[in-house]
Amino acid sequence: MSASRETLFARLDALGIEHKTVSHRPVFTVNEGRDIKASMPGAHTKNLFLKDRKGQAFLITARDETQIRLNRLHHHLGSARLSFGPEDLLLETLGVRPGSVTALALLNDTEGRIRFVLDAALMQWPVVYCHPLLNDATTRIAPQDLVRFAESTGHTPQLIDFTALHDDEESAD
């Protein structure tokens, strides 16, 4: 069962997490929302729902400009090779559809099936932006509060510096 936006906001409020949400047209990709983001200073997120060959599901939340090399990421996660997770698994675990994937959907993973990976670059910003379970709005939250929210759902994020990984991989090539 997928939590409602009201349930999400009530959870943030109960945790004492300051948040502000702006409604807008549905946005399915990072590029589609560039004009909307222009009026929202801070770090905007992109989210990847992945699954490895052993069945472990991952949610990667990164800064929208961060490059992520999926073909090498499994080495850094200690997992089997990764691919995009199927829509039915996404809906079953996070309760959202493609285009609405967000760290805030961790609220729906009550069984702890998702391994949460967070881009360390997000922690350098005063605010980050995430979809509040649907892609027709954007919620502003402090990065440390995003971590606190994730932990409250039983998902301690694994912080990864994707920029450093990319630099290390470039020097190894």
Side-chain angles (χ1 to χ4, degrees):
M1 177 82 174
S2 181
S4 68
R5 191 171 283 171
E6 293 74 25
T7 301
L8 169 65
F9 293 158
R11 176 67 162 271
L12 294 172
D13 292 341
L15 292 167
I17 293 175
E18 185 180 329
H19 58 95
K20 182 180 180 188
T21 299
V22 175
S23 295
H24 51 71
R25 71 180 186 279
V27 176
F28 293 90
T29 67
V30 168
N31 286 334
E32 274 184 32
R34 293 259 181 239
D35 62 319
I36 295 168
K37 295 174 191 177
S39 64
M40 298 179 196
H44 293 268
T45 58
K46 66 179 174 184
N47 298 274
L48 304 176
F49 180 70
L50 306 172
K51 183 173 110 23
D52 74 6
R53 288 189 309 199
K54 295 179 181 176
Q56 173 66 60
F58 296 82
L59 174 61
I60 312 291
T61 296
R63 185 165 177 236
D64 63 351
E65 297 176 2
T66 297
Q67 290 186 354
I68 301 172
R69 292 181 138 176
L70 290 183
N71 61 337
R72 296 190 179 179
L73 184 57
H74 66 284
H75 295 297
H76 304 287
L77 297 177
S79 70
R81 286 200 174 267
L82 297 163
S83 61
F84 287 98
E87 184 174 351
D88 60 335
L89 182 62
L90 172 63
L91 192 57
E92 179 184 320
T93 56
L94 291 176
V96 295
R97 298 203 176 276
S100 294
V101 180
T102 173
L104 299 176
L106 291 169
L107 180 65
N108 291 319
D109 181 31
T110 57
E111 296 177 17
R113 294 172 58 190
I114 302 296
R115 192 164 145 197
F116 182 43
V117 178
L118 189 62
D119 185 356
L122 291 172
M123 303 309 292
Q124 307 307 311
W125 290 83
V127 295
V128 296
Y129 294 93
C130 306
H131 288 309
L133 305 178
L134 291 171
N135 63 355
D136 63 351
T138 299
T139 297
R140 180 184 74 206
I141 186 172
Q144 65 273 17
D145 286 338
L146 180 60
V147 170
R148 196 158 53 95
F149 168 79
E151 289 173 342
S152 81
T153 68
H155 299 85
T156 300
Q158 178 180 353
L159 287 176
I160 291 190
D161 183 346
F162 288 102
T163 304
L165 291 183
H166 186 69
D167 292 344
D168 289 347
E169 291 166 354
E170 290 293 316
S171 63
D173 287 342

